[in-house]
Amino acid sequence: MNPLADAIVEPLKDRNDAVLIDPDGGELLGSELHQLSGRIANVLANHGVVAGDRVAMQTEKSVPALALYLACLRAGALFLPLNTAYTAAELDYFLGDAEPRVFVCDPKVEAALKPVAEAKGSAVLTLDPQGRGSLSNLASAEPSDFTNADRDTDDLAAILYTSGTTGRSKGAMLSHGNLLSNTESLVEAWQFTADDTLLHALPIFHAHGLFVAVNTLFRAGGKLIFLPKFDLEVVLSKLPEATSMMGVPTFYTRLLGDARFTKELTGHMRLFISGSAPLLAETHREFEDRTGHRILERYGMTETTMNTSNPYKGDRRAGTVGLPLPGVEARITDADTAAVLPQGETGILEVRGPNVFKGYWRMPEKTGEEFRTDGFFITGDIAKIDTDGYITIVGRAKDLVISGGYNVYPKEVETEIDLLDGVVESAVIGVPHSDFGEAVVAVVVKQVDSAITGEEIQLSLQAKLAKFKCPKSVFFADQLPRNSMGKVQKNVLREQHKATFVK
Ligand code: MCA
Ligand code: AMP
C-alpha cells in the first residue's frame, strides 16, 4: 500500500488520454507520465534514495519536475520543493535543515549550488526550464517499471518550508493521509471529474499549485493545461480549452484588467477558484458582473492544505472563505486567554482535522507552541464565524505580508536590513498594491552620519533574500512610532504609507 501513489499516480498507468497539455498544444498521455515517474524513481533509487529520505527540488515548472514529485511518492521519499526565487544563502539553510539525499536544481546554478549541496551530503542532479538536464538524461536510460515503496497513512509525503514570525523557516511535514484526505474532500466539494481540464498557471513549489491543483485533478481523472507560469496572453488564449481554473487573486485582477476577458470567453467554464490571499469583495463582484461567474473562494495554509471553501452549489459569498470542509473543525478563540469564543465574535481561527500536518521538521518545541492540547492548530489568522457557519478572515495575528500569494515575514527582512552598515533599525510592512494585493515596504532609521540610500538597501537585500521578499520601496524616518510598551506601531506606518502604490 502507498496511499497517495495508489490514489493519484497508479491510475495514470492505464490512461491513454492526455493528462498534461503544454502551451503549444503538445500532449502527454497518462501512461507516458506514469512511465516517466517510474524511470525517475529508478534514478532516485540508484542514488541511494530509500523511503523516508528527502528529495529537494529548485527548478522551473516542467513535466519532468512534476514527474519527480510523482516519483518521490512512489519511492516513499519526502518531496521538498523550493521556490525558484530563493537565493544561495536561503538554500544553504534549507539543504542543511532537511539534509536531502538528492537535490535537483537548474543547470544554470549547478556550479554555485553544488558545493552547498555536497557539503550537506546531497547528490546534485539538474533540470532546466525545458525539462532537460542530468535527471532527464539518467531517466531516459532507466526502465519504467518500478515497485512502489510500501507506505502508511501516517508516513510523510512532503516537507514544505514556510517562514515564521520569529527565527528560521519551518518545514511543515505533510503525511500521505493529510494530503489524500484533502484531495478526496476537494474532488467532492468542487465536483471535479474526468471531464475536467484545469488551466494550471500556478507554480508547483507551493501547496496551491501542487496539492490543491495536481492531486485533485489526477484523483478525479482530469487533465491539466500545464503552463510554465501565469502569462496573461497565454492564459487568455488557453481559456477556451479549459473547464476550470485555480489562482491567486492577482490572476483574477490581471484578467479583469484586460478587455478581452469577457462573458463570451468564459461562458463555457465550469469553475474559477481563488485562494492563498484575500480576494477583495469588489473583485468578486466585478468578476461576476463581467463574466457571470461567482469565483469560489477557499482558505488554506501550507500546514493544513485546504480548511474551508465556499459551496459549489449554494451561496458563494464575496469576502468570506465559506464553510469548513467535511472532517475539518473550526473554532474561534481569544488571542489572550485561548478561551473558545461564541459564534459571531472575532478572534484567532483554530482548525483540527485529518488535513492538519504532523508538525515542523525537527522542531518539536515550535510544533508544540502552535497546537492546543486537544489537537487544534492555531492558524494565526483572525476570523469570525457567522450564525450560518460562513467564515470571514478579518486579519492576521501573525506579522505577515502576502504579496501575489507569496508569504513574506517582515521579521526575516528586518533582520537583514538591520545588519547593514549605517542602519539603526527598521520596520517592514505590507501596503496595498493593485497587482500583488500587498507589497513589501521598509521604513528605515539610519545612523545620523550614514549616507546609505534606499537603492543600496534594496540591492544588498537582493543578494540574500528572494526578490519577492525585498522591499519594493524604502522610506527613511528619524524614528519608528512605538506604543507605551515600546512595540513598533506598524498600523501607524501602514496608514502613513498606504498610498505608495495605489491612489
Ligand atoms: C514576482 N515578483 C513579485 C511576485 N512575483 N513581487 C512580489 N510578490 C510576488 N508574488 C516580482 C519579481 O521578483 C520581479 O521583480 C517582477 O515581480 C516580475 O517577475 P515575474 O516572475 O515576471 O512575475 P509574475 O510572473 O508577474 O508573477 C506574479 C505572480 C506570481 C503570477 C502573481 O508571483 C505567482 O504565480 N504567484 C502565485 C504564488 C502561489 O502559488 N502561492 C501559493 C502559496 P523585478 O521586476 O523587480 O525583477 S500556497 C498557500 O498559500 C496556501 C496553501 C493556499 O491557501 O493556497
Ligand atoms: P501559506 O503559509 O503560504 O500556506 O499561507 C497561508 C496563509 O495565507 C493563511 O494563514 C492566510 O493568512 C492566507 N490565506 C490563504 N487563503 C486565504 C484566503 N482565501 N483569504 C485570506 N487569506 C488567505
Side-chain angles (χ1 to χ4, degrees):
M1 169 177 104
N2 182 321
L4 257 185
D6 293 348
I8 70 161
V9 193
E10 290 315 311
L12 296 171
K13 191 173 178 179
D14 301 319
R15 282 185 62 180
N16 284 315
D17 62 319
V19 292
L20 296 179
I21 301 165
D22 71 29
D24 301 323
E27 296 186 342
L28 191 79
L29 305 181
S31 52
E32 292 171 329
L33 182 58
H34 187 271
Q35 287 164 17
L36 182 58
S37 72
R39 294 183 209 286
I40 294 179
N42 280 314
V43 175
L44 296 179
N46 294 344
H47 283 78
V49 172
V50 294
D53 282 347
R54 278 76 58 207
V55 172
M57 175 185 97
Q58 190 196 34
T59 67
E60 296 297 338
K61 190 174 166 185
S62 67
V63 170
L66 183 63
L68 176 62
Y69 162 57
L70 305 178
C72 286
L73 295 179
R74 298 184 65 181
L78 280 54
F79 186 57
L80 201 160
L82 294 159
N83 194 318
T84 43
Y86 289 147
T87 62
E90 290 170 305
L91 278 171
D92 189 66
Y93 168 73
F94 295 123
L95 297 181
D97 190 52
E99 298 182 302
R101 177 83 58 195
V102 170
F103 172 51
V104 181
C105 67
D106 194 294
K108 271 202 314 239
V109 292
E110 185 187 10
L113 295 182
K114 210 169 184 164
V116 177
E118 287 180 349
K120 313 291 178 193
S122 312
V124 179
L125 297 173
T126 59
L127 270 185
D128 74 7
Q130 285 70 42
R132 298 169 305 208
S134 61
L135 178 64
S136 291
N137 295 342
L138 291 169
S140 64
E142 288 297 320
S144 58
D145 284 346
F146 180 83
T147 306
N148 292 356
D150 254 340
R151 294 279 84 188
D152 198 40
T153 315
D154 277 336
D155 286 325
L156 299 181
I159 298 182
L160 263 63
Y161 276 89
T162 140
S163 310
T165 40
T166 52
R168 319 229 64 168
S169 289
K170 304 161 290 182
M173 301 188 288
L174 291 152
S175 70
H176 279 250
N178 292 148
L179 297 175
L180 184 54
S181 69
N182 213 236
T183 301
E184 305 278 13
S185 286
L186 298 182
V187 171
E188 182 76 24
W190 297 338
Q191 302 198 5
F192 275 100
T193 70
D195 292 332
D196 269 297
T197 302
L198 182 87
L199 191 68
H200 192 295
L202 288 157
I204 56 168
F205 47 68
H206 274 309
H208 193 166
L210 189 64
F211 305 138
V212 185
V214 174
N215 287 2
T216 305
L217 265 289
F218 283 178
R219 180 65 180 145
K223 50 174 83 62
L224 306 168
I225 299 175
F226 201 59
L227 307 180
K229 59 182 288 212
F230 183 91
D231 176 318
L232 185 62
E233 292 301 320
V234 181
V235 168
L236 287 170
S237 75
K238 290 287 158 187
L239 263 175
E241 295 165 39
T243 62
S244 46
M245 176 171 171
M246 293 183 191
V248 295
T250 300
F251 287 16
Y252 296 117
T253 49
R254 286 188 184 180
L255 284 167
L256 286 170
D258 195 295
R260 292 168 294 175
F261 188 66
T262 58
K263 210 168 244 162
E264 291 65 46
L265 188 73
T266 57
H268 68 288
M269 289 286 281
R270 184 177 75 75
L271 186 59
F272 289 95
I273 302 173
S274 177
S276 304
L279 182 77
L280 295 179
E282 69 193 57
T283 307
H284 193 279
R285 284 191 274 270
E286 194 187 338
F287 199 92
E288 185 175 13
D289 289 346
R290 179 87 72 87
T291 66
H293 288 281
R294 288 176 76 79
I295 297 180
L296 187 154
E297 185 172 8
R298 58 38 169 204
Y299 157 81
M301 291 181 74
T302 301
E303 287 92 334
T304 62
T305 58
M306 298 305 97
N307 293 309
T308 76
S309 172
N310 270 281
Y312 182 74
K313 289 197 170 129
D315 192 9
R316 298 183 195 163
R317 261 181 227 171
T320 83
V321 293
L323 307 142
L325 285 162
V328 179
E329 297 167 84
R331 70 183 184 195
I332 304 293
T333 59
D334 185 283
D336 300 321
T337 65
V340 178
L341 295 175
Q343 204 153 32
E345 288 196 23
T346 298
I348 305 287
L349 177 62
E350 300 186 2
V351 294
R352 182 167 72 178
N355 56 316
V356 175
F357 74 134
K358 297 289 169 198
Y360 296 111
W361 173 254
R362 293 179 177 165
M363 287 187 182
E365 272 180 30
K366 196 81 209 145
T367 303
E369 285 166 21
E370 308 216 359
F371 279 92
R372 301 281 179 214
T373 46
D374 59 4
F376 272 84
F377 172 62
I378 308 162
T379 64
D381 289 306
I382 302 174
K384 64 180 169 107
I385 308 182
D386 288 353
T387 42
D388 51 2
Y390 278 75
I391 298 179
T392 306
I393 310 283
V394 298
R396 293 172 206 137
K398 49 196 172 189
D399 190 14
L400 162 68
V401 179
I402 304 184
S403 176
Y406 288 146
N407 288 5
V408 181
Y409 278 87
K411 178 84 190 150
E412 187 182 3
V413 186
E414 289 160 2
T415 304
E416 292 297 345
I417 299 177
D418 294 351
L419 287 172
L420 298 174
D421 276 348
V423 170
V424 178
E425 61 172 347
S426 62
V428 166
I429 52 169
V431 296
H433 189 281
S434 51
D435 186 29
F436 292 127
E438 285 182 292
V440 177
V441 158
V443 182
V444 177
V445 179
K446 58 181 173 184
Q447 283 162 3
V448 272
D449 56 347
S450 169
I452 193 165
T453 65
E455 264 175 24
E456 284 164 357
I457 292 176
Q458 284 168 314
L459 276 177
S460 311
L461 291 178
Q462 281 165 27
K464 295 175 193 146
L465 297 174
K467 190 87 182 273
F468 67 86
K469 298 179 187 172
C470 296
K472 297 214 183 286
S473 212
V474 176
F475 296 96
F476 290 99
D478 293 339
Q479 57 183 25
L480 298 175
R482 291 197 139 80
N483 65 15
S484 55
M485 312 284 287
K487 194 169 182 285
V488 175
Q489 291 170 304
K490 290 202 168 176
N491 50 337
V492 173
L493 294 174
R494 279 192 285 265
E495 187 57 30
Q496 277 171 7
H497 299 291
K498 68 180 181 195
T500 309
F501 299 107
V502 288
K503 290 297 148 253

